[in-house]
Structure formats: C-alpha cells, structure tokens
Amino acid sequence: MSIPRTLTIAGSAAQGSAGIQADLKTFQELDVYGMSAITAIVANNSTTEQGIFTQPLEAIEAQIYAAMEHVGPNALKTGMLFTEPIIKRTSELIAASSVKEIVVDPVMIGKMGSQLLQDEAIETLIEHLLPLATIITPNLQEAARILDEPASESPEEMEEAARRLHKLGPNYVLLKGGSLTNHSAVDFLFDGDTMRRYESERIDTIHTSGAGCTYSAAITAELAKGKTVVEAVHTAKSYVTSAIRHALSFNRGIGSTNHAAHRKYEKK
C-alpha cells in the first residue's frame, strides 16, 4: 500500500509540544507518513546553562538526503532553522528537490520566550526561503519582524500586512491572528488576488505551546494528500482549534496543544 508522505525540517522540542514532535504527531493524526530532519535541539531548562544546540550542516544535509532518497515526500515544511547558514543550505536543498508543496513556518520566538531565529538570519530567510514557498504561515509578531513594522492590531491591518508579505515571493500567505486582542481567532489567506478569512472562537487558555507548528504541519499533511491550499488551510484551522480547545495542562506554566483532540472529541 501507499500513503502520502511528509517531511519536516525543524527543531526538536524536548518538552514534546512543539517543533518536530508536534509535526510528527500531527502527521500521524492526519494519516500521512512523517519524516524529520532536526536542525536544532531546544531543551531550555533551569539547570543547565545551555538550552539550544544547533546541528552541524552535514547532519542536517544527511537527514534531508536520507528522507528524499529512501521515501520521498509529497510535501514538506520548515520550522525552526535558527541560523543563516542553515537557512541558506536548507533553501538550496529544497530548490534542488522535486517537492512542489513547500510550507514555510517562519519560526522566530517560542511560547516560552526563546529566540528561535537569529536576528541576522531574517534577511536570509526573506531572500532565500520565502520565494520557494507554496505558503508561509507567520503569526502577527513574525510578520512584523519580516516586514520591519509594528504588529497588526486589527483585521484590516492584517489584510494589508498579508498583501505586503505576498510581495516577498510566496504563492500564498496565511497570516495568523491568534494573538489579536479583543477579537476572535481570525486568520487571512492571500494568494495575490483573493483574500480569504478564516475565523473561529477565541479559546480562553494559556496552553497553546506548539499551536503554530501544529497548524503548519496540518497544512503540510493536507497538501501531501493532494488538497488545494484553500482546502488544506480550512482543515488545518479546524484541527488546530480542536487542539487548543482541548489543550493539555501539566500544572507547570504553559501547556501543550492536544494533537489527538480532533480525532477524539470533534470528529463525528
């Protein structure tokens, strides 16, 4: 038998809620075969002095080559890339591959406040990676850093920001408004012509670690199945909303989105 195949090129989150861990859980829940290439290990804690360990370029290359050679993804996503050299090399490998569906989640700041993209790497991300993307999935803060302007504070400002982001080269922009205050959870999808609005209720919880990774991974999974971007975002929005609605608390600060929630509690 065959199955749609996905690859995530991202950081490993030791606490399990975000990064590679969130991506692979999402892939499994949405019935696609998931592969991974780890760019960095994120293990922030109060005991050791260091919490982020980037992987050598050779190790990242080897993982991507292995996934491409032995399985071959129908779609891939990027998450935390962190450094300029990693972004450049990853972009080269993606451009040289036969994968057509590319989801770029421009991960910059973690829910716990960790910086997940070096400042000097932002221009490299804009120049080398965004133009390769089928879709990019920034949140309001990431969009503001990419555009070098204040974060959007209204749906109207989000629409304008999505238009400016589209000029950087991706086929689609999904601007996520989860942190928009005094408003529902609204996202905008723009393809250069049509602006689509995706809206759901705002869920009163702090336990949203991994929500962005989960959202982009769900889009990747649906694209691997042959769905259109519009269809993929629709399914992914429903999936991540369920994951937040039934979020997990560990009584230790910010908890995790619940990757099994859509299957367990929402599907009829």
Side-chain angles (χ1 to χ4, degrees):
M1 64 178 292
S2 184
I3 187 173
R5 305 173 300 280
T6 50
L7 168 64
T8 172
I9 306 170
S12 169
Q15 83 280 12
S17 59
I20 291 286
Q21 285 80 350
D23 294 343
L24 292 177
K25 291 172 187 176
T26 300
F27 294 160
Q28 187 75 15
E29 287 294 326
L30 293 177
D31 197 27
V32 298
Y33 182 87
M35 297 169 282
S36 64
I38 298 172
T39 58
I41 296 170
V42 181
N44 292 311
N45 64 88
S46 61
T47 303
T48 64
E49 293 183 0
Q50 188 174 355
I52 296 180
F53 307 84
T54 55
Q55 299 301 291
L57 283 180
E58 293 83 356
I60 298 169
E61 287 176 339
Q63 293 173 87
I64 295 173
Y65 280 131
M68 297 287 186
E69 177 183 339
H70 295 294
V71 179
N74 301 112
L76 67 78
K77 65 157 286 190
T78 64
M80 175 190 176
L81 300 179
F82 197 57
T83 70
E84 185 176 5
I86 291 175
I87 293 171
K88 281 186 176 179
R89 188 62 184 131
T90 299
S91 300
E92 290 169 353
L93 293 172
I94 291 173
S97 77
S98 61
V99 184
K100 302 301 182 186
E101 304 293 354
I102 312 296
V103 179
V104 174
D105 187 9
V107 175
M108 296 183 181
I109 303 291
K111 284 292 191 303
M112 313 300 182
S114 303
Q115 182 169 349
L116 303 180
L117 180 69
Q118 293 177 343
D119 291 334
E120 61 269 23
I122 293 177
E123 284 302 317
T124 306
L125 178 84
I126 293 170
E127 180 181 352
H128 293 276
L129 191 56
L130 298 193
L132 300 176
T134 304
I135 181 172
I136 64 171
T137 63
N139 60 31
L140 298 184
Q141 291 69 39
E142 291 160 350
R145 289 189 67 188
I146 290 170
L147 295 170
D148 193 22
E149 62 183 34
S152 299
E153 296 182 347
S154 69
E156 294 74 23
E157 290 184 2
M158 286 181 64
E159 290 188 49
E160 289 305 311
R163 289 188 174 94
R164 289 192 290 275
L165 287 165
H166 187 268
K167 292 178 181 178
L168 299 176
N171 293 337
Y172 285 81
V173 172
L174 177 67
L175 182 55
K176 303 175 297 187
S179 63
L180 197 66
T181 57
N182 302 316
H183 206 280
S184 58
V186 60
D187 309 325
F188 287 96
L189 179 68
F190 184 59
D191 64 359
D193 294 311
T194 304
M195 186 74 68
R196 291 178 171 86
R197 180 172 178 143
Y198 297 79
E199 199 161 358
S200 63
E201 78 275 19
R202 179 168 296 282
I203 298 163
D204 185 18
T205 180
I206 65 168
H207 305 304
T208 58
S209 180
C213 303
T214 300
Y215 200 166
S216 59
I219 293 170
T220 309
E222 293 304 302
L223 291 177
K225 297 174 184 176
K227 300 298 180 62
T228 67
V229 171
V230 172
E231 291 169 334
V233 172
H234 177 80
T235 299
K237 176 72 168 176
S238 176
Y239 178 84
V240 76
T241 300
S242 299
I244 296 171
R245 182 182 294 116
H246 300 280
L248 303 171
S249 170
F250 308 114
N251 298 315
R252 301 186 182 193
I254 297 174
S256 172
T257 50
N258 186 345
H259 298 93
H262 202 257
R263 168 175 53 86
K264 293 175 67 175
Y265 307 117
E266 305 290 349
K267 282 191 173 182
K268 303 301 181 184

